[in-house]
Amino acid sequence: MPDTASYETVEDLLADREGESVHLECRRETVDRAVRFVHGRYARRRCAFYVSTDRGFDRETVRSYLRLFSRLAGGAVAPEDAMAHFGLAPAARTQVKNLTNEQRALLNFARMSLSEPEVVFCERPLADVTPATRGLVTAWMGQVADAGGVLITAGEPLREALLMPGTAFYEEDGVLREAKTAVEGDEEDGAGFAGDEVRVFKVPARSDGATLLFDPREVDFVESVNRANFASVRGELYPVSMTLDELEAELERYGFFRCHRSYIVNVQKVAKVERFTRNSFNLTLADAAATQIPLAKGRAEAMRDRYGWR
């Protein structure tokens, strides 16, 4: 597999990947620089921006706020359609100052949709949306990507960045590095565990100086973030010293699947497999947070074959 790309500055990254969708796990300073760069580089295209300081106009209602931006955008998309898509119709007469954080986030997405943007920049797009409404946001972003638009997100944790259509990067020691998505040996996917011997395995993790030994059935998924590995158990992340390759070899017999270079998922915990765009997928887990895990394009077919899903 070829080496992944790295960039000394976010400006270098965005210039080199112009016209592509990219997603950045990065510092606040890098987010600000990315916003300024996108403003300048894509000035001649229809752009829509959503950053953490976008709070709307407090005295406007949801309807009047969206009507204003619909007029500014030329009226191609009706405010009522935007409200309906993002579940804001019941709050149409509510003043912006009285909206919840989630409703404000949805209002910003509705505002952006009115201009039918070719380029979308979002700071932490999934930060304030709950599992119940996350699908409304990702569906719209998927539509933008499928129509040939450019999606740029920044500040989101790597797990969320990997869910987006495009290429994810993480910032480490001031350098932006591409997050690998393919699993080594994809083209030679093994047959899996075929033995019948009895073996005991516990997932060893660390917490407050103690070693915890988790039954594999307790583990929802294992993820690799910034060169460190973590096991997710009941919504908490615990550091694990074993490599993902070592864990994959042990956990496969317990119904785990390497769905992404950085993720091993307990398939028994998967509630839904979704196609995000034509070329991106995610897995939704049956936990309280409806956690979403990326499913690499090259692993989707292997997963369907292994478990007989069609």
Side-chain angles (χ1 to χ4, degrees):
M1 177 178 292
D3 292 338
T4 54
S6 63
Y7 299 89
E8 295 295 327
T9 70
V10 69
E11 292 85 357
D12 290 341
L13 188 162
L14 293 172
D16 187 54
R17 300 298 180 114
E18 183 172 356
E20 300 179 24
S21 291
V22 297
H23 311 284
L24 317 173
E25 181 196 58
C26 59
R27 298 171 298 159
R28 175 73 223 187
E29 176 191 355
T30 304
V31 174
D32 293 338
R33 288 166 53 192
V35 172
R36 291 194 294 269
F37 184 88
V38 172
H39 264 293
R41 182 56 64 104
Y42 293 101
R44 296 187 178 183
R45 300 185 65 178
R46 291 196 310 277
C47 297
F49 292 83
Y50 172 23
V51 297
S52 60
T53 54
D54 289 334
R55 304 288 293 171
F57 304 149
D58 281 352
R59 294 185 179 181
E60 297 286 346
T61 65
V62 168
R63 178 182 285 115
S64 64
Y65 180 78
L66 292 178
R67 282 178 174 173
L68 168 63
F69 280 93
S70 177
R71 290 195 296 272
L72 293 173
V77 178
E80 290 72 21
D81 292 340
M83 284 190 290
H85 178 89
F86 290 100
L88 291 169
R93 297 182 180 180
T94 303
Q95 285 186 303
V96 172
K97 65 181 180 182
N98 294 323
L99 297 178
T100 65
N101 287 339
E102 180 176 41
Q103 288 173 322
R104 283 181 186 262
L106 294 172
L107 181 65
N108 275 300
F109 282 105
R111 167 182 58 78
M112 290 193 292
S113 73
L114 295 171
S115 63
E116 297 183 305
E118 300 171 298
V119 178
V120 173
F121 183 99
C122 291
E123 179 184 357
R124 299 204 66 190
L126 303 180
D128 289 323
V129 296
T130 64
T133 59
R134 186 166 51 199
L136 302 176
V137 173
T138 56
W140 178 73
M141 296 179 76
Q143 290 169 9
V144 173
D146 284 342
V150 175
L151 294 172
I152 301 171
T153 67
E156 202 75 274
L158 187 58
R159 185 191 309 154
E160 306 290 4
L162 288 167
L163 292 171
M164 304 293 176
T167 307
F169 293 83
Y170 62 93
E171 190 170 23
E172 182 180 54
D173 299 328
V175 176
L176 288 154
R177 307 180 189 278
E178 181 180 349
K180 294 182 179 180
T181 57
V183 178
E184 298 289 353
D186 265 352
E187 67 281 359
E188 299 177 2
D189 190 46
F193 171 66
D196 58 1
E197 71 272 19
V198 174
R199 291 185 59 191
V200 174
F201 176 70
K202 295 279 189 174
V203 178
R206 301 289 295 175
S207 178
D208 297 328
T211 298
L212 305 179
L213 300 175
F214 289 114
D215 187 314
R217 291 171 296 183
E218 297 180 87
V219 178
D220 295 330
F221 61 90
V222 181
E223 69 176 346
S224 179
V225 179
N226 295 343
R227 302 182 184 178
N229 300 329
F230 300 88
S232 176
V233 180
R234 293 182 289 277
E236 296 291 333
L237 292 175
Y238 297 90
V240 179
S241 60
M242 295 177 69
T243 69
L244 256 63
D245 287 343
E246 291 169 340
L247 287 164
E248 179 185 13
E250 292 288 352
L251 291 172
E252 189 176 44
R253 69 186 67 243
Y254 297 99
F256 284 71
F257 182 77
R258 187 75 172 267
C259 59
H260 186 281
R261 183 182 181 88
S262 300
Y263 288 89
I264 304 171
V265 67
N266 184 345
V267 178
Q268 293 292 346
K269 303 294 182 75
V270 175
K272 184 164 53 176
V273 182
E274 296 179 290
R275 183 186 294 271
F276 188 9
T277 67
R278 286 191 295 266
N279 296 311
S280 60
F281 306 82
N282 63 54
L283 307 173
T284 301
L285 304 188
D287 59 5
T291 304
Q292 289 186 314
I293 301 297
L295 173 61
K297 178 184 177 183
R299 301 299 290 159
E301 186 63 31
M303 192 174 201
R304 284 194 292 265
D305 288 344
R306 179 169 300 180
Y307 300 103
W309 296 342
R310 286 290 179 263

